[in-house]
Each structure stands twice: as structure tokens, then as C-alpha cells.
Amino acid sequence: MKYFISDTHFFHENLLGDNDFAPRLFDSVEEMNQQMVDAWNAVVNEKDTVYHLGDVAMHPQYEQGFSDIYKILVQLKGKIVFIKGNHDSRTFFKYLEKHDPGMENGATKFEFQDVGAIVKFNHHQYYLTHYPMLLGKTVNIRNLHGHIHNYSMPIAEDINVGVDAPERNFLKNKLPFGTPISENLIDEIAAGKEVEIKKLQ
């Protein structure tokens, strides 16, 4: 199973509280971090692949905090493909690569993409990027992205999969904060967003 998530921002204390951009209603980063770990591991198993579309963490100690972020990431189930966000450094990715804990089957746990990746499922091709793309007219192509947090692109084919994305509200069964979105739920989100976009036209 493929899963998608973005903008976890582990350790980012400035996002705590009620705000328009990225509301995180937690009393501490420890509480926020643990909620995201628990939500992730409640749906992902070790055979799954999670595509993280950028902005993994914002530790107050920068590079000195890499080990703290690593301790969080190794708790997460499944293989993780990281697509670089504007708050992710190549130094951070190199640190993770150097300390990769590996999977039970001998494969690496972490994989890295600087710009994006392309996957196919459910009769669609998906461009996986951190920043939303302006696709123009497409047939069976969608862009899964993050970056804009509690905002949404007014384009049906652009689907924000961030932890605080408004697109999550199109799901009939609300996901706990921090839950990666499975490939099985993307069509439900896309259908809901398409209806909303048509209302704006």
C-alpha cells in the first residue's frame, strides 16, 4: 500500500495553537510529535511505502537536532520516500542516509528525491512534489503536494496531502491528525474537491 503525507514539521513549536496557516492544537511539541507517530503507525505496516512530500521537521537546534528527528523517524513503520521540502536540507537527508536503520527484508528504510517522483495507481499518474504544480489541462494526471498547509489550490487535480490540509475534510471518515493518506482514499478526496471546484465556476 502507498501512503502520502507532507509538512509534519516535527518539533516546530511556533505552529502550536490556533492560527490560520497551520493550526496545531497541542500543548507541546512532544504531544504533537507523539500524536503524529501514533497516527502514522495505526495505519501503516512494515510492507507499506509512505511518500513524505517535504518539510519533515523544524528543530530549534538545527543540525544539532538531527539525532532527535532521527529518533522520531525510526519509530515510523514502513519504507519512507522523502521528497525535499523548502525546510529540508541535503545535509539532513545525508544524515538520514548515513544512519539508515534498514528494513527487515534488507532494503533501506529511507529513500530520497530532490524534486519529486511519479507513481501510478487507480488509473492515474501522480506527480509527487512539495510545491503545488500548475498542471494545466490534463487527462488522468494529478499532483499530490504539500507546502501550503491549511490552504488549497483552486485546481481539482492538485491535492494537498499535508497533515493540516483542508482536502482531508472531503473524507467521510475523518483521519486523526498526522495520519498518512492511503492510495485508496485519494479518489474520494479528488471527487469531493472536484465538486467544490465546480461550485466556484
Side-chain angles (χ1 to χ4, degrees):
M1 181 75 72
K2 298 178 185 68
Y3 287 86
F4 308 92
I5 197 167
S6 184
D7 301 283
T8 44
H9 282 250
F10 289 110
F11 295 99
H12 194 176
E13 188 172 10
N14 287 346
L15 293 185
L16 296 179
D18 193 10
N19 60 79
D20 291 335
F21 180 60
R24 308 255 173 137
L25 304 180
F26 300 97
D27 292 329
S28 66
V29 291
E30 290 79 15
E31 182 185 353
M32 177 184 73
N33 291 349
Q34 192 60 55
Q35 168 60 37
M36 289 191 285
V37 170
D38 292 345
W40 180 303
N41 289 338
V43 297
V44 177
N45 68 50
E46 290 298 344
K47 294 181 180 178
D48 296 327
T49 297
V50 182
Y51 292 87
H52 193 302
L53 307 188
D55 289 3
V56 177
M58 286 191 68
H59 198 287
Q61 295 178 314
Y62 302 95
E63 291 186 17
Q64 284 71 37
F66 284 176
S67 63
D68 290 340
I69 303 168
Y70 176 81
K71 288 173 187 174
I72 293 284
L73 297 179
V74 294
Q75 296 177 51
L76 302 175
K77 294 179 182 176
K79 181 179 184 69
I80 308 174
V81 179
F82 294 102
I83 290 166
K84 188 177 179 298
N86 55 300
H87 292 296
D88 303 317
S89 67
R90 290 187 180 89
T91 305
F92 172 57
F93 280 4
K94 287 178 181 177
Y95 177 94
L96 294 182
E97 185 176 29
K98 181 179 178 181
H99 296 88
D100 194 307
M103 305 285 286
E104 288 183 5
N105 63 6
T108 57
K109 182 174 180 66
F110 303 140
E111 186 179 311
F112 308 93
Q113 299 288 341
D114 245 14
V115 178
I118 297 174
V119 297
K120 294 180 181 179
F121 60 89
N122 294 350
H123 309 292
H124 281 76
Q125 182 169 270
Y126 291 86
Y127 296 163
L128 311 180
T129 57
H130 179 62
Y131 303 98
M133 298 176 67
L134 299 177
L135 292 172
K137 291 289 184 182
T138 65
V139 177
N140 295 338
I141 295 175
R142 293 172 179 155
N143 172 218
L144 303 186
H145 66 86
H147 184 61
I148 56 177
H149 291 268
N150 196 34
Y151 292 90
S152 182
M153 292 290 289
I155 300 169
E157 292 78 16
D158 284 33
I159 298 174
N160 185 354
V161 295
V163 295
D164 38 26
E167 274 87 334
R168 290 172 175 262
N169 294 325
F170 292 124
L171 293 171
K172 294 173 187 173
N173 298 313
K174 188 167 176 61
L175 299 174
F177 183 84
T179 306
I181 298 172
S182 76
E183 59 186 280
N184 292 341
L185 295 177
I186 296 295
D187 279 347
E188 184 180 338
I189 291 175
K193 185 166 186 182
E194 187 172 1
V195 170
E196 286 299 308
I197 293 296
K198 285 180 179 177
K199 290 178 183 177
L200 300 175
Q201 295 172 346

